[in-house]
Amino acid sequence: MLTKVYGSAVFGVEATTITVEVNSVKGIGYHLVGLPDKAISESSYRIAAALSNVGYKLPGKKITINMAPADLRKEGSAYDLTLAIGILISSGQIKADEVDQYLIMGELSLDGSLQPIKGALPIAIKAREEKYKGFILPAQNAREAAIVDGLEVYGVDNISQVINFFNEGKPLEPTIVDTRDEFFQALEHPEFDFADVKGQESIKRCMEIAAAGGHNIILIGPPGAGKTMLAKRLPSILPPMTLHEALETTKIHSVAGRTQEKVGLMAQRPFRSPHHTISDVAFVGGGAYPQPGEISLSHNGVLFLDELPEFKRTVLEVMRQPLEDREVTISRAKFTVTYPSSFMLVASMNPSPGGYFNDPDAPVQSSPAEMQRYLSKVSGPLLDRIDIHIEVTPVPFEKLTEERLAEKSNVIRKRVTAARDIQTARFRESEKTHYNAQMSVKDIRKYCILDDASKELLKNAMERLNLSARAYDRILKVSRTIADLEGSAEITGTHIAEAIQYRSLDRDGWLG
């Protein structure tokens, strides 16, 4: 008897429906075809034990299973439940007239219980697109899949529930999530707040400008100056994610298996801080079966690289193209996957191997040659892609002991959101540009018009600091954001002057 059951495979952040065809005839044997990987090939042992423990059995027949399309590589253990249900129906142990109306996915334990799977959200989106009635999956992934409306999502704990649902008509409890209500409730007070940071007013101003225009930023300063503390608080002043951004972000984390069980939709912007020993593949994504890397997991959020020069040169160089294109493409012989990677880069570094500026009182001193060698680990083209460079100096004792509370993150966020609203209105006709950091050369020429005095100021700065054409564009983008924060339609000399200050690494002798 031939039976068809439906599952799904995830490539990149999109799902593809897989038809599992099970044929049972007289004879002995178990043949699984359709390019399954080792985890799927081993599924027969898990299925046999699970069926035995819930009162069924792997039939003593010749079973042939094809996973179509047969030329597409299938991977992972998430097809256990799909295969098991197909075998039970094909061997006549259960009846399931409506099985073709459901997508079924789940990894089986030997006692018949189900383990969570990866990619539940993109699979649910595909199931709705293809007009399936429902999606049966492990209970741990149910809230994540239930974000998708117009699709019945059934979270189950054991294969027995699925068997009884099809064979005896015992109803399953659908998981219902009010996406909008849950999303807006989750925009609570941030865990890290700028009110906790003593002093560093100029750095907070930089962070506000970076958040308002989506600019990349690098913080340079000695140990203990507060670089990491400031970076961790940046997501708290970014505008709240839109529902579309939240869905896109949740999809990527779903594919990587990083979503939390009790949280359906991710409402907080991601903050990723990989260690400097990270490999190229873990950072940018890839592998034999491509998975999203750190730069994609930080999509719509912040990627923080602490101690930037300690990262391998190859890791940093591989980031240059995603910084420009806002996506990363991973190519293999038979397929290509593209992951979105529109993130804000926040980097921090010490000014020298010893960690301190060229200061005679510093505990550890480095020679100018050592400092230069250390700084040269970060390439010029990468620094050019970072809009704002700022020096972070240690907080004086008087500031540390101040009782007065600093400005709260939600107050700064209101100003940032107002500036972003101006940018949204400005770029409403554009599909690719949403905020100032994404402006193309054409956009810069259109929206960053300078008067004669500002042009002269910028010309002098370019000549004295020996800035590249890309640095020139960065200054214009940052000055446009400063003007937006002030609600100014025109870019003035003061905006240009402030933006020029934020190119520390372009200045000769910046170490003092």
Side-chain angles (χ1 to χ4, degrees), residues 186-450:
L187 296 172
E188 76 279 353
H189 297 294
E191 183 185 353
F192 299 108
D193 199 298
F194 268 106
D196 307 329
V197 182
K198 303 280 188 182
Q200 304 292 24
E201 303 307 326
S202 61
I203 317 301
K204 289 179 192 171
R205 166 71 175 169
C206 267
M207 289 288 194
E208 184 179 333
I209 294 165
H215 302 288
N216 301 322
I217 183 170
I218 183 165
L219 309 170
I220 311 130
K227 301 186 295 295
T228 306
M229 187 181 189
L230 286 156
K232 280 186 176 176
R233 281 154 180 74
L234 182 59
S236 70
I237 63 169
L238 287 170
M241 281 202 286
T242 62
L243 271 169
H244 174 72
E245 285 178 326
L247 190 65
E248 205 174 32
T249 307
T250 309
K251 261 173 88 172
I252 296 166
H253 284 252
S254 172
V255 169
R258 302 288 180 91
T259 48
Q260 295 173 9
E261 186 181 327
K262 292 181 181 177
V263 178
L265 198 64
M266 287 178 65
Q268 300 291 347
R269 291 188 181 273
F271 178 85
R272 305 294 300 180
S273 180
H275 193 259
H276 61 256
T277 54
I278 192 168
S279 70
D280 305 16
V281 171
F283 188 71
V284 85
Y289 311 117
Q291 287 286 300
E294 288 291 338
I295 63 173
S296 295
L297 291 170
S298 55
H299 180 60
N300 289 325
V302 175
L303 176 65
F304 177 50
L305 302 184
D306 201 4
E307 305 301 343
L308 188 68
E310 302 297 340
F311 282 81
K312 285 186 290 186
R313 180 90 178 211
T314 51
V315 170
L316 296 180
E317 294 309 300
V318 88
M319 184 172 60
R320 278 160 54 176
Q321 181 255 339
L323 272 173
E324 290 285 327
D325 297 346
R326 308 266 166 188
E327 63 182 23
V328 58
T329 301
I330 298 158
S331 298
R332 292 290 177 268
K334 290 190 176 179
F335 60 89
T336 299
V337 295
T338 299
Y339 294 113
S341 58
S342 180
F343 57 88
M344 261 188 75
L345 173 64
V346 181
S348 78
M349 61 185 281
N350 297 326
S352 69
Y356 295 86
F357 287 99
N358 197 1
D359 178 2
D361 300 324
V364 182
Q365 290 188 38
S366 302
S367 70
E370 286 175 325
M371 289 186 179
Q372 204 53 51
R373 198 180 313 118
Y374 182 73
L375 290 171
S376 66
K377 289 183 180 180
V378 183
S379 72
L382 178 62
L383 286 176
D384 265 355
R385 285 170 170 80
I386 299 176
D387 299 355
I388 298 174
H389 310 159
I390 189 72
E391 294 169 38
V392 184
T393 51
V395 183
F397 181 77
E398 295 74 27
K399 288 280 185 184
L400 284 173
T401 52
E402 263 187 359
E403 292 297 321
R404 182 175 61 88
L405 270 178
E407 198 172 29
K408 285 185 172 290
S409 284
N410 55 10
V411 178
I412 303 171
R413 180 190 259 183
K414 283 176 186 171
R415 294 199 296 269
V416 168
T417 306
R420 282 282 181 105
D421 289 343
I422 292 170
Q423 293 163 51
T424 302
R426 178 182 298 136
F427 304 121
R428 62 181 175 273
E429 303 294 328
S430 173
E431 288 183 13
K432 289 189 175 180
T433 310
H434 305 290
Y435 44 83
N436 290 339
Q438 295 177 326
M439 281 196 288
S440 64
V441 174
K442 189 179 175 184
D443 293 327
I444 291 170
R445 302 292 171 262
K446 184 177 178 182
Y447 299 114
C448 302
I449 299 164
L450 305 181

Side-chain angles (χ1 to χ4, degrees), residues 66-98:
N66 177 43
M67 304 179 79
D71 62 343
L72 201 66
R73 181 80 180 169
K74 324 298 183 309
E75 59 169 16
S77 52
Y79 298 97
D80 290 359
L81 183 60
T82 325
L83 297 170
I85 296 297
I87 289 167
L88 288 173
I89 299 167
S90 180
S91 60
Q93 295 182 66
I94 65 169
K95 288 183 179 179
D97 298 330
E98 292 190 344

Side-chain angles (χ1 to χ4, degrees), residues 17-35:
T17 301
I18 302 294
T19 305
V20 175
E21 302 170 324
V22 186
N23 193 50
S24 298
V25 293
K26 285 184 179 179
I28 296 173
Y30 184 92
H31 307 287
L32 181 58
V33 296
L35 285 183

Side-chain angles (χ1 to χ4, degrees), residues 116-145:
I117 62 170
K118 291 181 181 180
L121 181 55
I123 293 170
I125 291 168
K126 190 68 175 177
R128 181 181 64 181
E129 271 178 28
E130 298 194 349
K131 304 289 191 295
Y132 283 94
K133 183 180 177 183
F135 181 19
I136 297 169
L137 77 168
Q140 297 96 316
N141 300 110
R143 287 187 68 78
E144 181 188 322

